[in-house]
Amino acid sequence: MTPSSHSRRPGFRARLTVLCIALCLPTIPTAAQSDIEQRDSVQAAAGFAEKIEAFIAGLRVTRERFEVRINRCEGARGELRDDIYAVWIGTRLAAENDDAGRVLAAVADDWRERNWEVFRDRVLDNGGVNIAAFDPASGESHSLDSGFEPNPHRDIVGYFSTPCFQHSSGAAPFGPVAGE
């Protein structure tokens, strides 16, 4: 079976998507500061999506899926309010040369060079790689994982999240962002 035939198997994409959602949906982020920056959620989502698209464009991967969501965020005192949110992006990628491990190792090295806090960098039993980091300058978290069957050397799942913001005009429109 060739690597490209894996994606043609019935149900493969559905199983991979369900697994991605189960593993990649972050827990509810928490605002670390008492004064949360006010930002319009649509503008924040558009800006973050542009930034993540540029990041992905710099990798030797093909983008298969890209989803932007406005998710709930806990306030500094643990409260859940309708106006506090984080932007979350989930993506599914394919390493162009079945070298997902090398692609992700280069990303982890880049994060370290930028002085990001790399809190996960491991090779899994199946040969897949799992990396995650926190950018102290922006408050964003990034995670990439190639440990999924049937091809941990090709398939990469990523999720990215902003820090918490306060929606500038009342309740944030939680859920998928239209147009993505």
Side-chain angles (χ1 to χ4, degrees):
M1 181 176 287
T2 65
S4 61
S5 67
H6 287 298
S7 60
R8 294 187 190 131
R9 289 191 321 199
F12 167 74
R13 290 190 189 278
R15 287 191 312 275
L16 186 60
T17 299
V18 168
L19 186 58
C20 172
I21 290 169
L23 294 175
C24 295
L25 278 178
T27 59
I28 296 174
T30 303
Q33 70 277 14
S34 58
D35 294 323
I36 300 172
E37 180 184 344
Q38 281 202 353
R39 291 195 61 193
D40 177 80
S41 61
V42 173
Q43 291 174 351
F48 192 51
E50 185 177 305
K51 183 177 186 178
I52 298 305
E53 287 276 16
F55 165 73
I56 291 169
L59 303 177
R60 289 186 341 236
V61 298
T62 301
R63 187 183 91 171
E64 294 182 343
R65 183 166 169 80
F66 192 85
E67 179 183 359
V68 181
R69 297 182 57 84
I70 303 297
N71 284 345
R72 224 169 254 291
C73 207
E74 282 187 7
R77 296 182 190 104
E79 77 275 17
L80 290 176
R81 299 185 346 212
D82 289 342
D83 63 338
I84 299 177
Y85 71 94
V87 179
W88 177 88
I89 295 177
T91 187
R92 185 174 61 223
L93 311 167
E96 294 173 355
N97 298 313
D98 281 350
D99 61 349
R102 275 182 270 184
V103 169
L104 297 186
V107 169
D109 288 344
D110 179 61
W111 289 345
R112 284 187 187 91
E113 288 175 20
R114 295 171 186 249
N115 293 318
W116 287 21
E117 178 188 334
V118 176
F119 56 89
R120 188 176 313 128
D121 186 359
R122 60 186 177 200
V123 176
L124 306 172
D125 291 341
N126 68 358
V129 175
N130 180 258
I131 61 173
F134 174 76
D135 175 6
S138 68
E140 298 168 0
S141 63
H142 295 215
S143 177
L144 295 163
D145 189 344
S146 71
F148 299 102
E149 296 297 340
N151 194 344
H153 302 291
R154 177 188 179 277
D155 302 321
I156 301 170
V157 175
Y159 70 87
F160 310 86
S161 187
T162 66
C164 298
F165 296 115
Q166 184 174 13
H167 189 62
S168 54
S169 60
F174 297 113
V177 174
E180 292 301 328

